[in-house]
Amino acid sequence: MQKTVKPFIALAVLLMMLLSGMGPASAVTRTASDPFVKEVLRLINEERAGHGLSPVVWNQSVGNVSQQWAEEQNNRINRDTYSLSTIHRPGYGSQQIPDGYDWYTEIIGINNNAQQIVDWWMNSPVHKAGMLSPSATDIGIGYMKTTKSGWYGMYVVVANIAGYPDTRAELPPHPGIDMASFKDGDIAAVDSAGNLFAYPTAFGGDLWKRSYIGSGFTGALEVEVADWNADGIQDIVARWSSGKLTVHYGLARGGLAAARTVGSSGWANYDITVTDWKQGDLYPAIVAKNQSNGRLYYYNNPYGERHGSRTLIGASGWANLEIFTLDFDYDGRMDLIAKTPHGQLKLYRTNGNARFVSEYRRIIGASGWNTMHHLSSINNHLGNGRPGILARDKYGNLHHYPVSPNLVNRRSTIGQGGWDTLMLGS
C-alpha cells in the first residue's frame, strides 16, 4: 500500500506547490560570490551610480527565487516549450519573494555574457526603468547556461529587484537624486480616509500625478508644507482637532519621520500659516489667527523643533479674514494677504521685523475671491523660484495664480474637478 500511496502524496504536494505559486527547489544555489552573478551586479550598480543612484544590495532569499525561474526557463528551452508570452510567471515572482517590499519588478535577459545582458536591459526602456528605479534596494540574480543546440551556450538570466523599507533605511541617500517626498512647489493633500499624498508640480500643467506618502492624518485640520528645521528638506506641519501642533520631518531618502510635537495643546481654534515671517530668523515661524477673538500672533521657532514665544501682531479684526503670506512686492520682507468678506484680497506689508507697515491697505484682488474655498501661498510652482497663490474654487477646480512684483497675474487651472474632497497644503 505504501508503494502506491507515496506517489499520489508526492503528486498532491507538487500540485499544491504549483497552485500556490511555489515551485520545486532550485537545483543550483547562486550566491553573491558567484563570478557571473558578481559581474552582473557590478554592472547594474555601475549603471545606477552613473545615474546618481545608490547601489542595490544582494538578497539571497530573492536570489533563490530568481535562480528557480532561470532553471525553469532553461528547462523550457530544452523541452522546446520556451515562449516569450510566458517568460514571466504570474505576479512576476512577487508571490515568491519575502514580504515587506513596497516596490518590485522582474527583468529577464538571454545573451552571451554579463555585459551584453546588462547592455540589453539598458537599451530596453521597460527593463532600464526597473534597473534604475530609485525605489529599488534589494536584488536577486539567477542564471543558467544553455546547452540546447542552436542556443550557442547563451546565458538565461533572471533578476528580481525589490524595494524594502528596512534596507532603504540603512542605505545612503541617492547622491544625485532628491528623493524627498515634498519639494518646493509641491502640494500636500489629505483625503477623507486620512491618507496623505504629494502632488509634484507640473509647472503650470494639470496635476494628474500623485504619490502616496502615508496614513494617519484623520483628525488633521490643516497641513502646511515647510522646511521647519531648515535642513533643505520639506516637512509637514499639521494642526489637529485634538489641539496639538506637530511636525513630520521630511527624510532625504523619501517619506516622513514620525510626528513630533511643536505645540502641545490649544491649537484647534487657530488658523495657521508657516512662513519666513521675520528677517534674520534661522527657521520658519508661525503666524496664527485666533478664530474666536480675531487676534493675530507671531510664534517664533528658535531651534526647528517646538515653537517659541508668541508676539501679538494684530489686536483685533482678523476673525473674518482668511490669511496667507507671500512677498508680494519682492522687497525681501514677508507680507500678509487677507481675503475680506467682500471677496477682495487686501495687502498688509511688513517691515521685516514681524510688524505691519502703517499705511493704507491696498486692494490687490478687486473681486470674485469669495468663490475660492481654499487660498494659500505656494512658492516655485512654476520652477522659477517665484511666489504664487494656490486657489480652489467652489466647483472643486484648482488654480495657480503667478505673482510678479506687485501684481497677481492670470491664473492657470492645474486641476479639473474633485479637489473639494481634499484638504490641501502648500
Side-chain angles (χ1 to χ4, degrees), residues 304-315:
E305 298 174 351
R306 296 182 70 97
H307 72 73
S309 60
R310 76 178 187 182
T311 303
L312 181 68
I313 57 175

Side-chain angles (χ1 to χ4, degrees), residues 4 20 78 81 115 121 137 182 230 241 300 385 389 395:
T4 57
S20 64
N78 291 332
T81 59
Q115 184 68 64
W121 285 339
T137 61
F182 291 96
S241 58
N300 72 356
I389 299 172
Y395 304 107

Side-chain angles (χ1 to χ4, degrees), residues 15-139:
L15 182 61
M16 290 175 63
M17 291 170 66
L18 293 173
L19 290 174
S20 64
M22 297 173 59
S26 302
V28 179
T29 299
R30 309 290 188 194
T31 68
S33 62
D34 180 286
F36 187 85
V37 168
K38 184 184 292 186
E39 180 64 5
V40 173
L41 182 56
R42 183 190 71 80
L43 291 169
I44 288 173
N45 281 330
E46 187 177 83
E47 293 289 354
R48 288 178 64 84
H51 288 79
L53 296 162
S54 58
V56 288
V57 298
W58 176 258
N59 185 314
Q60 187 61 55
S61 296
V62 177
N64 294 340
V65 174
S66 305
Q67 181 59 29
Q68 186 276 323
W69 196 242
E71 291 178 14
E72 174 61 25
Q73 293 304 302
N74 189 52
N75 290 337
R76 292 180 184 184
I77 289 172
N78 291 332
R79 297 192 302 261
D80 291 322
T81 59
Y82 172 82
S83 172
L84 284 175
S85 63
T86 57
I87 194 171
H88 292 286
R89 68 197 108 186
Y92 288 69
S94 61
Q95 301 166 19
Q96 286 78 24
I97 69 169
D99 292 334
Y101 58 87
D102 58 16
W103 180 89
Y104 175 75
T105 194
E106 178 179 78
I107 56 177
I108 298 175
I110 302 177
N111 223 312
N112 295 303
N113 53 53
Q115 184 68 64
Q116 289 181 2
I117 289 286
V118 174
D119 286 347
W120 191 89
W121 285 339
M122 284 297 295
N123 286 317
S124 164
V126 174
H127 294 77
K128 179 180 179 180
M131 201 167 67
L132 300 184
S133 171
S135 300
T137 61
D138 292 51
I139 190 170

Side-chain angles (χ1 to χ4, degrees), residues 158 225 278 300:
V158 177
V225 181
K278 184 179 180 181
N300 72 356

Side-chain angles (χ1 to χ4, degrees), residues 11 55 73 87 108 117 149 160 219 225-226 242 249 254 266 273 288 292 339 379 386-387 416:
L11 180 61
Q73 293 304 302
I87 194 171
I108 298 175
I117 289 286
S149 175
N160 296 93
V225 181
S242 65
Y249 293 124
T273 180
S292 300
K339 185 183 80 172
N379 192 58
R386 294 190 169 192
Q416 292 280 357

Side-chain angles (χ1 to χ4, degrees), residues 224-259:
E224 292 269 308
V225 181
D227 186 4
W228 183 251
N229 59 351
D231 65 349
I233 302 171
Q234 297 296 311
D235 312 313
I236 294 293
V237 177
R239 181 174 64 88
W240 301 86
S241 58
S242 65
K244 285 186 88 172
L245 193 66
T246 63
V247 60
H248 288 76
Y249 293 124
L251 304 175
R253 61 179 180 270
L256 300 172

